[in-house]
Amino acid sequence: MSRVTALNDAQKGDLAKLWERLAPAHNQTISGGSSSSNFQPTGRGGRGRGRGRGRGRGGSSSSGVAPRKVVTMSLEDEDYIFICRLYGFLRWVVDCMEEQNQQSSATGSVGGEKENDHTTTESDDDNDDSYINNNSSKGLKTWESLRCLFEWTKVSNGTKFIIVPQLLGGKKVVTFNHDLLMQDFRVYENAGSSSSSSNNTNQQQNQQGLAFASYLYNNPDRAIASFGCALGVTVLTLWRRHQSFTSSSNPLQQQQQTNNQQHPHLETFDTAIYKPRFHNLSSSSHVRMAHVRTETVGKLISLRGTVTKARPKRLRVLDSGFTCGKCGMNQITKFLEGKYCQPTRCDDMKCRSQKFILNRKVANFCDVQELKIQEVREELDEEMEEGNQQGGDTRDAGRAPRHMEVEVDTDLVDLCHAGDSIVVCGIVKAVNAAISSGRTGRKASETSTYKLYVVGHSIVNLTAEDGSRGKTAKHGAESENDDDGNQKKKRSRTSASSANMHYTDQQLQQIANLAHADHRMYSMPTRMAFPFDLLVRSLCPNIIGNDLVKAGIVLCLLGGTPAEVSGMEAQSGMTIRSNSHMLIVGDPGMGKSQMLLSANQVASRSVYVGGNTASSTGLTVSLTKEPGGEMGIEAGALVLADRGVCCLDELDKMPKSHQDGLLEAMEQQQVSIAKAGVVASLPSRCSIIAAANPKKGHYNMSKSVSENLNMAGPLLSRFDLVFILRDEADSDRDRMISGSIMGRLGNNGGDPQRSAMHDDNAGRRLNDMDQYGAGRIPLKCRLPWVTDFQKQPLPLQQVKDYIAYAREYCKPKMTDAAAMVLSDYFMRLRHPEGNESKKDNVPITTRQLEALIRLSQARAKVCLRPYVLKEDAEDVVELMIESVKQVHTDASGNIDKARGGAGGKSKQRRAFLEAMRTSGQAQFEYSDLQRIADRLQLPVGGFREFIDQLREQGELGRRFDDGNPVYTLLS
């Protein structure tokens, strides 16, 4: 049987007052019939269906609706039983803490000092059996949530420390972890069972412990009010116990008790409202957005989604005063869900007037905000997998992601912003679709179509970090206690970070095995690099070759270590970005889109966007006009990918005017908007992996990357790595690609010739690696060998877990050896040997040096190391050398300074302009310019485009003389 603790008369009196303040309200007709159903229409009630006949009969409604009054729900027997059970449980938690404090007093740790020993985290979820058998841990997990309401004090007549409530009034929010609370509740129930029938009793008590979870799921309004009443009864009982200890030494209290006067502190407790909030609900309460249907109305569920729109907060009237127009009597009327409700009759039995005057001075308000969340990509992928397992069900293929509106109030307002990934626990409710859209009148009230939405109960922000959003950490702390900022802030951070990622023991073991992978063949530096090679092998295994491109994608998925700033930089939000950007340019059919899709699947948070269908507002933010006339901000792709990856395909198809929206997001890692009186900045701390095709369908080596893509230089310079994929004829590579495609289709799986060729390639690569001995093996040799050595790639989920774990928990720092390697390479590019004139140096800036640091930190993350080693820097330098070679080298093999987007003039342009200056002419026709180019033998493809670029850069001027263009030098 469940442990039900009986309440005395004083506690019953306290319960009556608490229930009056905490009980949920509902509509009630004049005849007394309850209308709490969410689907009951509001039309065609009362007498008279005509337009004029029934008007006024049923109160103030002009549509003939029966008059209703907002009243609080009565205390049912089930509610009272659960309140008694919860009160006994909370007293048991307090008694356990006092008992543990008394036992440890011999060691000198008492009172507040002992309280510090109780600190725990939600990650200490051991199995229930070990927790139940550990007497020193009884009630500890629940006490972590309750400690904000209590404090330790020493009894005046001894050395004993007891727990007393803090003198706090107003609304107090206490946050509970649902799973941990149920563990303590089962321990409490089991403590009252007899030892003779332990097995049967434990099973019964577990079912009784789950009974409260079922009560909370099916009747959330009543369950939350019952838990709040149990908290209030516990607080007042402990306060009276403390008064009994101190009354003997306080003459004033003795006099008050003799005169039956109320203690002044009771007036403070009479204004207290205890609001429990539950998060981390059981898996049975977690519902996908696709499964939110009519059967979930009125239930407490847990939803996960991404905030796409956060509307401005508004004020909602909770209750207001009305003055009778006849007798002048004042009465308070509650407004259910913000709906205006005027009293039907005066409460004075002698008056019974129906005319009232609104008294706005005594009205109570609360903050309300509406959120719009979108289902996460993981749920879409799970639905697709379930459809494939059920025989290729394609009902969800190609559909738009689902959305759900969430309504939050009080302390949950401004707890999240557009682009945040959140977990919402709330109550599903239904509202008339016509009324919710702003329509009024009888036709709107008679509409039989209803719309589902969620009333938020608790929110866990999975995106916000400590200090990453100004109001997030503050409001998360205030939701537990309005008067104790430091203690609440620490607890809020712990719950948010622990809810971000959960790893099982099996997942952690797989991560550890991959981090210490060893092929037992080569030296220490090679062994430490092997996890990186395995991840590159497992990324998009269907694409043969392009190993260096895959390596760059892996480093972009991990990102670098965020810089620690202080002082004015921290106050202004100026930080050095830790995310790397990468651009893949190549001919059609080189697998660019496949690699982007693979990166989108592997990343824990990513957004895939096609450039041909994206706009500037779709990538950044857009403004929408709300029904009330206010402007709302709706997040774009870059904001939704905050702390993740944005895969941008077909970048060349995006107009230049839309590409400009990427500049601020790529460098400052934020998106600013200043439109229609709205000035705001939203974070977009994401890595951008983009792919583009050349303009003419084939990459022209005589042109720069900017010319091939028609892309501005400032945008191109923001990419840390740029790779160019050319479709060149290579017999060995083409044979491997064709064999892989045929084998994947099942038509050539057992070809002995293909297997022999694979073995020959593996043996040849192994011989190539032997020449390096115990030294470092370059990536160009190591990565293809790992592809041959590791026949099967790692599972997709294992790669995803490993990258998410490394990105979240590994924060490597630079070492002197690694910094020296990066610095030497940077100086070699800026100041080549034997080039005193500095005309042939590669035009790179400190932006590229910062890119080297970020990539080196990401390279160390792959091996879960706390420091960046020399081997990490050498691998990154090799990647950068290949990128610089492809970008800054022209068709003749020379370095072209104008190809990287960092400024400077190429040799061809310098020679052409110098020839024009030394020709002795002041004006040039188009034929004269062609003769100069032919004399210099300049390999400039598209001469007219070459002249137009000189004009755009301010080198040449053009005017027309009798319709013929005439050119002049401007510099």
Tab-separated table of all heavy atoms in Angstrom, residues 316-357:
chain	number	residue	atom	x	y	z
A	316	ARG	N	-0.734	39.791	-20.328
A	316	ARG	CA	-2.027	39.123	-20.262
A	316	ARG	C	-2.650	39.398	-18.900
A	316	ARG	O	-1.980	39.277	-17.857
A	316	ARG	CB	-1.874	37.628	-20.478
A	316	ARG	CG	-3.146	36.838	-20.200
A	316	ARG	CD	-2.984	35.379	-20.539
A	316	ARG	NE	-2.856	35.200	-21.985
A	316	ARG	CZ	-2.650	34.020	-22.558
A	316	ARG	NH1	-2.534	32.931	-21.807
A	316	ARG	NH2	-2.557	33.921	-23.869
A	317	VAL	N	-3.922	39.718	-18.906
A	317	VAL	CA	-4.645	40.000	-17.667
A	317	VAL	C	-5.063	38.679	-17.040
A	317	VAL	O	-5.749	37.868	-17.670
A	317	VAL	CB	-5.869	40.887	-17.939
A	317	VAL	CG1	-6.593	41.189	-16.636
A	317	VAL	CG2	-5.458	42.168	-18.634
A	318	LEU	N	-4.636	38.443	-15.798
A	318	LEU	CA	-5.025	37.242	-15.082
A	318	LEU	C	-6.373	37.411	-14.391
A	318	LEU	O	-7.228	36.527	-14.444
A	318	LEU	CB	-3.952	36.877	-14.060
A	318	LEU	CG	-2.557	36.562	-14.627
A	318	LEU	CD1	-1.592	36.280	-13.487
A	318	LEU	CD2	-2.611	35.397	-15.590
A	319	ASP	N	-6.549	38.530	-13.736
A	319	ASP	CA	-7.828	38.829	-13.101
A	319	ASP	C	-7.946	40.337	-12.964
A	319	ASP	O	-6.956	41.071	-13.031
A	319	ASP	CB	-7.966	38.134	-11.742
A	319	ASP	CG	-6.813	38.453	-10.810
A	319	ASP	OD1	-6.531	39.644	-10.586
A	319	ASP	OD2	-6.159	37.510	-10.322
A	320	SER	N	-9.135	40.777	-12.776
A	320	SER	CA	-9.383	42.210	-12.665
A	320	SER	C	-10.574	42.433	-11.744
A	320	SER	O	-11.379	41.519	-11.498
A	320	SER	CB	-9.641	42.823	-14.046
A	320	SER	OG	-9.865	44.215	-13.948
A	321	GLY	N	-10.686	43.650	-11.249
A	321	GLY	CA	-11.786	44.011	-10.368
A	321	GLY	C	-12.937	44.651	-11.133
A	321	GLY	O	-12.733	45.367	-12.116
A	322	PHE	N	-14.141	44.366	-10.694
A	322	PHE	CA	-15.341	44.952	-11.278
A	322	PHE	C	-16.169	45.564	-10.142
A	322	PHE	O	-16.331	44.944	-9.079
A	322	PHE	CB	-16.174	43.902	-12.016
A	322	PHE	CG	-15.554	43.454	-13.305
A	322	PHE	CD1	-14.656	42.394	-13.328
A	322	PHE	CD2	-15.852	44.098	-14.498
A	322	PHE	CE1	-14.088	41.978	-14.514
A	322	PHE	CE2	-15.285	43.686	-15.691
A	322	PHE	CZ	-14.391	42.621	-15.696
A	323	THR	N	-16.682	46.750	-10.380
A	323	THR	CA	-17.517	47.467	-9.418
A	323	THR	C	-18.957	47.464	-9.908
A	323	THR	O	-19.237	47.816	-11.066
A	323	THR	CB	-17.037	48.916	-9.236
A	323	THR	OG1	-15.667	48.906	-8.844
A	323	THR	CG2	-17.872	49.629	-8.190
A	324	CYS	N	-19.852	47.036	-9.021
A	324	CYS	CA	-21.273	46.983	-9.378
A	324	CYS	C	-21.790	48.406	-9.615
A	324	CYS	O	-21.552	49.309	-8.807
A	324	CYS	CB	-22.083	46.300	-8.280
A	324	CYS	SG	-23.866	46.212	-8.619
A	325	GLY	N	-22.483	48.608	-10.732
A	325	GLY	CA	-22.983	49.934	-11.059
A	325	GLY	C	-24.168	50.366	-10.225
A	325	GLY	O	-24.540	51.543	-10.246
A	326	LYS	N	-24.728	49.442	-9.440
A	326	LYS	CA	-25.910	49.772	-8.642
A	326	LYS	C	-25.579	49.933	-7.164
A	326	LYS	O	-25.899	50.962	-6.566
A	326	LYS	CB	-26.967	48.686	-8.829
A	326	LYS	CG	-28.270	48.953	-8.110
A	326	LYS	CD	-29.289	47.870	-8.399
A	326	LYS	CE	-30.606	48.135	-7.691
A	326	LYS	NZ	-31.614	47.071	-7.960
A	327	CYS	N	-24.937	48.927	-6.580
A	327	CYS	CA	-24.651	48.980	-5.139
A	327	CYS	C	-23.211	49.352	-4.838
A	327	CYS	O	-22.873	49.619	-3.679
A	327	CYS	CB	-24.991	47.647	-4.483
A	327	CYS	SG	-23.948	46.265	-5.021
A	328	GLY	N	-22.312	49.340	-5.835
A	328	GLY	CA	-20.920	49.711	-5.614
A	328	GLY	C	-20.056	48.623	-5.020
A	328	GLY	O	-18.934	48.898	-4.580
A	329	MET	N	-20.528	47.411	-4.999
A	329	MET	CA	-19.755	46.302	-4.448
A	329	MET	C	-18.630	45.902	-5.416
A	329	MET	O	-18.832	45.848	-6.626
A	329	MET	CB	-20.669	45.108	-4.187
A	329	MET	CG	-19.950	43.925	-3.577
A	329	MET	SD	-21.082	42.555	-3.259
A	329	MET	CE	-19.932	41.356	-2.589
A	330	ASN	N	-17.440	45.647	-4.868
A	330	ASN	CA	-16.289	45.240	-5.670
A	330	ASN	C	-16.120	43.720	-5.620
A	330	ASN	O	-16.285	43.103	-4.562
A	330	ASN	CB	-15.008	45.908	-5.163
A	330	ASN	CG	-15.045	47.410	-5.314
A	330	ASN	OD1	-15.564	47.925	-6.315
A	330	ASN	ND2	-14.506	48.127	-4.345
A	331	GLN	N	-15.794	43.122	-6.748
A	331	GLN	CA	-15.524	41.699	-6.813
A	331	GLN	C	-14.453	41.425	-7.872
A	331	GLN	O	-14.321	42.161	-8.842
A	331	GLN	CB	-16.795	40.914	-7.126
A	331	GLN	CG	-17.450	41.245	-8.460
A	331	GLN	CD	-18.772	40.544	-8.647
A	331	GLN	OE1	-19.796	40.959	-8.087
A	331	GLN	NE2	-18.759	39.453	-9.422
A	332	ILE	N	-13.673	40.373	-7.629
A	332	ILE	CA	-12.561	39.995	-8.492
A	332	ILE	C	-13.015	38.859	-9.407
A	332	ILE	O	-13.605	37.873	-8.946
A	332	ILE	CB	-11.334	39.576	-7.675
A	332	ILE	CG1	-10.904	40.707	-6.743
A	332	ILE	CG2	-10.185	39.183	-8.590
A	332	ILE	CD1	-10.451	41.955	-7.467
A	333	THR	N	-12.729	38.989	-10.692
A	333	THR	CA	-13.089	37.968	-11.681
A	333	THR	C	-11.825	37.510	-12.407
A	333	THR	O	-11.042	38.346	-12.880
A	333	THR	CB	-14.103	38.515	-12.702
A	333	THR	OG1	-15.271	38.950	-12.013
A	333	THR	CG2	-14.476	37.440	-13.712
A	334	LYS	N	-11.643	36.199	-12.476
A	334	LYS	CA	-10.490	35.633	-13.181
A	334	LYS	C	-10.783	35.536	-14.668
A	334	LYS	O	-11.913	35.271	-15.076
A	334	LYS	CB	-10.145	34.248	-12.634
A	334	LYS	CG	-9.652	34.260	-11.191
A	334	LYS	CD	-9.258	32.861	-10.745
A	334	LYS	CE	-8.725	32.877	-9.318
A	334	LYS	NZ	-8.325	31.512	-8.876
A	335	PHE	N	-9.728	35.726	-15.472
A	335	PHE	CA	-9.811	35.590	-16.921
A	335	PHE	C	-9.124	34.291	-17.314
A	335	PHE	O	-7.900	34.167	-17.163
A	335	PHE	CB	-9.149	36.770	-17.633
A	335	PHE	CG	-9.858	38.085	-17.414
A	335	PHE	CD1	-9.269	39.272	-17.798
A	335	PHE	CD2	-11.112	38.132	-16.830
A	335	PHE	CE1	-9.909	40.484	-17.609
A	335	PHE	CE2	-11.767	39.330	-16.636
A	335	PHE	CZ	-11.166	40.509	-17.014
A	336	LEU	N	-9.864	33.347	-17.805
A	336	LEU	CA	-9.307	32.049	-18.181
A	336	LEU	C	-8.623	32.155	-19.544
A	336	LEU	O	-9.250	32.539	-20.535
A	336	LEU	CB	-10.410	30.990	-18.223
A	336	LEU	CG	-9.966	29.562	-18.539
A	336	LEU	CD1	-9.000	29.053	-17.476
A	336	LEU	CD2	-11.164	28.641	-18.644
A	337	GLU	N	-7.305	31.820	-19.555
A	337	GLU	CA	-6.496	31.820	-20.780
A	337	GLU	C	-6.533	33.171	-21.483
A	337	GLU	O	-6.513	33.259	-22.709
A	337	GLU	CB	-6.952	30.717	-21.740
A	337	GLU	CG	-6.807	29.326	-21.154
A	337	GLU	CD	-7.314	28.255	-22.110
A	337	GLU	OE1	-7.850	28.645	-23.186
A	337	GLU	OE2	-7.181	27.072	-21.807
A	338	GLY	N	-6.643	34.252	-20.686
A	338	GLY	CA	-6.606	35.593	-21.244
A	338	GLY	C	-7.890	36.054	-21.886
A	338	GLY	O	-7.909	37.122	-22.516
A	339	LYS	N	-8.972	35.314	-21.769
A	339	LYS	CA	-10.240	35.699	-22.377
A	339	LYS	C	-11.020	36.596	-21.420
A	339	LYS	O	-11.198	36.266	-20.252
A	339	LYS	CB	-11.062	34.463	-22.728
A	339	LYS	CG	-10.384	33.555	-23.749
A	339	LYS	CD	-11.214	32.330	-24.034
A	339	LYS	CE	-10.517	31.405	-25.027
A	339	LYS	NZ	-11.311	30.177	-25.284
A	340	TYR	N	-11.486	37.705	-21.948
A	340	TYR	CA	-12.224	38.667	-21.136
A	340	TYR	C	-13.542	38.038	-20.675
A	340	TYR	O	-14.306	37.473	-21.466
A	340	TYR	CB	-12.495	39.925	-21.946
A	340	TYR	CG	-13.260	40.986	-21.188
A	340	TYR	CD1	-12.607	41.833	-20.303
A	340	TYR	CD2	-14.632	41.132	-21.357
A	340	TYR	CE1	-13.300	42.808	-19.609
A	340	TYR	CE2	-15.336	42.102	-20.676
A	340	TYR	CZ	-14.662	42.934	-19.798
A	340	TYR	OH	-15.354	43.900	-19.113
A	341	CYS	N	-13.800	38.145	-19.376
A	341	CYS	CA	-14.994	37.536	-18.789
A	341	CYS	C	-15.561	38.506	-17.753
A	341	CYS	O	-14.952	38.740	-16.707
A	341	CYS	CB	-14.660	36.190	-18.153
A	341	CYS	SG	-16.059	35.338	-17.404
A	342	GLN	N	-16.714	39.073	-18.050
A	342	GLN	CA	-17.362	40.017	-17.139
A	342	GLN	C	-18.310	39.257	-16.220
A	342	GLN	O	-18.921	38.265	-16.628
A	342	GLN	CB	-18.133	41.061	-17.945
A	342	GLN	CG	-18.760	42.154	-17.092
A	342	GLN	CD	-19.391	43.238	-17.939
A	342	GLN	OE1	-18.976	43.453	-19.072
A	342	GLN	NE2	-20.404	43.892	-17.385
A	343	PRO	N	-18.421	39.668	-14.963
A	343	PRO	CA	-19.364	38.989	-14.057
A	343	PRO	C	-20.784	39.020	-14.601
A	343	PRO	O	-21.209	39.975	-15.277
A	343	PRO	CB	-19.237	39.787	-12.755
A	343	PRO	CG	-17.930	40.487	-12.851
A	343	PRO	CD	-17.677	40.751	-14.281
A	344	THR	N	-21.492	37.957	-14.329
A	344	THR	CA	-22.871	37.864	-14.813
A	344	THR	C	-23.859	38.595	-13.900
A	344	THR	O	-24.781	39.255	-14.371
A	344	THR	CB	-23.277	36.396	-14.926
A	344	THR	OG1	-23.089	35.759	-13.654
A	344	THR	CG2	-22.432	35.695	-15.978
A	345	ARG	N	-23.663	38.458	-12.584
A	345	ARG	CA	-24.546	39.120	-11.615
A	345	ARG	C	-23.718	39.565	-10.422
A	345	ARG	O	-22.651	39.024	-10.150
A	345	ARG	CB	-25.663	38.185	-11.137
A	345	ARG	CG	-26.726	37.898	-12.182
A	345	ARG	CD	-27.859	37.085	-11.578
A	345	ARG	NE	-28.924	36.841	-12.545
A	345	ARG	CZ	-28.954	35.797	-13.369
A	345	ARG	NH1	-27.982	34.894	-13.317
A	345	ARG	NH2	-29.955	35.649	-14.229
A	346	CYS	N	-24.247	40.520	-9.715
A	346	CYS	CA	-23.590	40.994	-8.507
A	346	CYS	C	-23.675	39.920	-7.429
A	346	CYS	O	-24.680	39.198	-7.308
A	346	CYS	CB	-24.250	42.296	-8.030
A	346	CYS	SG	-23.499	42.989	-6.542
A	347	ASP	N	-22.600	39.788	-6.635
A	347	ASP	CA	-22.570	38.766	-5.590
A	347	ASP	C	-23.506	39.093	-4.425
A	347	ASP	O	-23.828	38.208	-3.625
A	347	ASP	CB	-21.139	38.610	-5.068
A	347	ASP	CG	-20.221	37.945	-6.098
A	347	ASP	OD1	-20.752	37.335	-7.056
A	347	ASP	OD2	-18.983	38.048	-5.955
A	348	ASP	N	-23.902	40.325	-4.320
A	348	ASP	CA	-24.835	40.710	-3.255
A	348	ASP	C	-26.223	40.166	-3.599
A	348	ASP	O	-26.806	40.492	-4.638
A	348	ASP	CB	-24.874	42.227	-3.113
A	348	ASP	CG	-25.627	42.675	-1.863
A	348	ASP	OD1	-26.228	41.794	-1.192
A	348	ASP	OD2	-25.613	43.877	-1.576
A	349	MET	N	-26.766	39.316	-2.718
A	349	MET	CA	-28.053	38.673	-2.991
A	349	MET	C	-29.190	39.692	-3.073
A	349	MET	O	-30.208	39.442	-3.716
A	349	MET	CB	-28.350	37.637	-1.909
A	349	MET	CG	-27.327	36.508	-1.849
A	349	MET	SD	-27.225	35.583	-3.399
A	349	MET	CE	-28.875	34.902	-3.470
A	350	LYS	N	-29.034	40.842	-2.445
A	350	LYS	CA	-30.081	41.849	-2.482
A	350	LYS	C	-30.034	42.701	-3.753
A	350	LYS	O	-31.013	43.343	-4.096
A	350	LYS	CB	-29.984	42.758	-1.260
A	350	LYS	CG	-30.175	42.042	0.058
A	350	LYS	CD	-30.069	43.012	1.225
A	350	LYS	CE	-30.262	42.297	2.564
A	350	LYS	NZ	-30.148	43.237	3.713
A	351	CYS	N	-28.883	42.703	-4.403
A	351	CYS	CA	-28.719	43.571	-5.586
A	351	CYS	C	-28.934	42.788	-6.880
A	351	CYS	O	-29.876	43.060	-7.636
A	351	CYS	CB	-27.337	44.215	-5.570
A	351	CYS	SG	-27.011	45.285	-7.008
A	352	ARG	N	-28.048	41.836	-7.170
A	352	ARG	CA	-28.100	40.981	-8.351
A	352	ARG	C	-28.117	41.790	-9.647
A	352	ARG	O	-28.777	41.433	-10.636
A	352	ARG	CB	-29.324	40.062	-8.314
A	352	ARG	CG	-29.493	39.287	-7.028
A	352	ARG	CD	-28.280	38.418	-6.746
A	352	ARG	NE	-28.226	37.264	-7.644
A	352	ARG	CZ	-27.221	36.393	-7.706
A	352	ARG	NH1	-26.154	36.601	-6.939
A	352	ARG	NH2	-27.253	35.379	-8.519
A	353	SER	N	-27.434	42.901	-9.636
A	353	SER	CA	-27.364	43.737	-10.831
A	353	SER	C	-26.446	43.087	-11.875
A	353	SER	O	-25.562	42.294	-11.541
A	353	SER	CB	-26.856	45.129	-10.462
A	353	SER	OG	-26.644	45.902	-11.623
A	354	GLN	N	-26.656	43.459	-13.156
A	354	GLN	CA	-25.860	42.931	-14.242
A	354	GLN	C	-25.014	44.010	-14.916
A	354	GLN	O	-24.441	43.776	-15.984
A	354	GLN	CB	-26.759	42.271	-15.284
A	354	GLN	CG	-27.538	41.077	-14.757
A	354	GLN	CD	-28.395	40.431	-15.829
A	354	GLN	OE1	-28.388	40.871	-16.972
A	354	GLN	NE2	-29.133	39.406	-15.455
A	355	LYS	N	-24.908	45.163	-14.314
A	355	LYS	CA	-24.105	46.254	-14.857
A	355	LYS	C	-22.882	46.454	-13.975
A	355	LYS	O	-23.006	46.627	-12.768
A	355	LYS	CB	-24.924	47.551	-14.916
A	355	LYS	CG	-26.113	47.472	-15.869
A	355	LYS	CD	-26.858	48.785	-15.905
A	355	LYS	CE	-28.049	48.715	-16.856
A	355	LYS	NZ	-28.786	50.008	-16.909
A	356	PHE	N	-21.686	46.450	-14.622
A	356	PHE	CA	-20.438	46.551	-13.885
A	356	PHE	C	-19.520	47.549	-14.571
A	356	PHE	O	-19.609	47.786	-15.787
A	356	PHE	CB	-19.741	45.183	-13.813
A	356	PHE	CG	-20.510	44.149	-13.038
A	356	PHE	CD1	-21.417	43.310	-13.680
A	356	PHE	CD2	-20.337	44.020	-11.675
A	356	PHE	CE1	-22.132	42.370	-12.982
A	356	PHE	CE2	-21.050	43.077	-10.962
A	356	PHE	CZ	-21.943	42.252	-11.616
A	357	ILE	N	-18.633	48.098	-13.758
A	357	ILE	CA	-17.613	49.030	-14.233
A	357	ILE	C	-16.246	48.391	-13.982
A	357	ILE	O	-15.948	47.943	-12.874
A	357	ILE	CB	-17.703	50.382	-13.504
A	357	ILE	CG1	-19.087	51.002	-13.714
A	357	ILE	CG2	-16.615	51.336	-13.993
A	357	ILE	CD1	-19.300	52.273	-12.905
